Amino acid sequence: MSTGSKARVSPTPRGLWVFESEKTSVMRSLAEDKAKSRRSIKVAAVVGLLLLGASIIWILSGILSPRGPKALPDISFNTIDGRTLDPESLAGRPLLIKFWATSCRVCLQEIPEIEALYREFAPAGFEVIAVAASWDLPDAVVILSKKRAFPWPVVLDPDGAIEKRFGGIEATPTHFFILPDGRIAFRHLGALDTRALADRLRTLVY
């Protein structure tokens, strides 16, 4: 070995250990950051699902749960043809109160089915009262009612007084089916299941 040549300096074992230790520390820190990120995403997802579930429950509770009075309110209905219907004149008869609007597509689509229901059971005492939504235009209600020749009474409610007595109406159509003893059997938002109602009426009037 020549004494004039420069010796190679190799990293000491401690130097290697320090380097590996720092590398391991960085990797561990990155792994912890990834784990925290995953936990944060999971927590955010769980919170989001809980909020979504709460929103769905709140919406369904407004649609499905009973609201408003338990029985027909003590209120008179003044029809567009000049008649007055009060609880006494309606007593002892099954009654469908339909809150509707001339701009409501579902309201108009279900008219033929309700007409068929009315013509079948009206002779046995069944009555339908169509209450126009407070936001509807009275002139439009009168014109459409006469054009379609509705066989049932039509009532205007421009100040929303009737709506309030029924617990408020947020959307149309909203139906209330009232038993002959005056109790409200159900409140239903949306298109009416006329077949189910026909079955119910058969047990009441025949």
Side-chain angles (χ1 to χ4, degrees):
M1 177 176 172
S2 173
T3 56
S5 63
K6 294 184 178 180
R8 293 182 179 179
V9 179
S10 299
T12 63
R14 178 173 178 78
L16 286 173
W17 181 84
V18 171
F19 175 76
E20 290 296 334
S21 177
E22 292 178 348
K23 181 179 178 181
T24 302
S25 177
V26 171
M27 292 179 68
R28 184 182 297 114
S29 177
L30 290 174
E32 290 176 354
D33 289 343
K34 287 182 180 179
K36 290 180 181 179
S37 179
R38 292 193 193 100
R39 285 196 295 270
S40 298
I41 293 173
K42 289 180 180 179
V43 171
V46 171
V47 172
L49 289 174
L50 290 174
L51 292 174
L52 178 60
S55 299
I56 293 173
I57 291 173
W58 181 81
I59 292 172
L60 290 178
S61 66
I63 295 174
L64 301 177
S65 62
R67 296 183 52 191
K70 303 297 182 182
L72 177 64
D74 185 12
I75 187 173
S76 295
F77 300 90
N78 298 315
T79 68
I80 60 175
D81 59 0
R83 290 181 293 159
T84 298
L85 304 174
D86 55 31
E88 291 183 2
S89 64
L90 298 170
R93 308 166 64 181
L95 173 65
L96 177 68
I97 297 180
K98 169 188 171 76
F99 287 88
W100 69 294
T102 56
S103 59
C104 170
R105 184 175 61 181
V106 176
C107 299
L108 302 180
Q109 288 176 340
E110 70 176 2
I111 286 175
E113 294 184 7
I114 296 180
E115 282 182 334
L117 197 70
Y118 185 81
R119 297 188 190 284
E120 179 179 354
F121 294 100
F126 175 56
E127 185 61 278
V128 175
I129 299 178
V131 182
S134 59
W135 58 84
D136 210 345
L137 297 175
D139 289 344
V141 173
V142 173
I143 291 172
L144 181 61
S145 299
K146 291 182 177 179
K147 181 179 179 181
R148 299 292 294 266
F150 294 150
W152 49 70
V154 177
V155 176
L156 299 177
D157 187 31
D159 60 356
I162 299 176
E163 292 180 3
K164 291 177 182 177
R165 296 298 299 273
F166 280 86
I169 303 298
E170 290 80 18
T172 56
T174 295
H175 309 85
F176 290 84
F177 180 60
I178 300 168
L179 300 173
D181 62 5
R183 289 179 297 130
I184 295 178
F186 66 74
R187 168 187 176 129
H188 177 74
L189 172 63
L192 188 66
D193 185 345
T194 53
R195 290 185 180 180
L197 183 55
D199 292 339
R200 187 75 177 272
L201 285 169
R202 290 187 183 96
T203 66
L204 295 173
V205 302
Y206 297 136

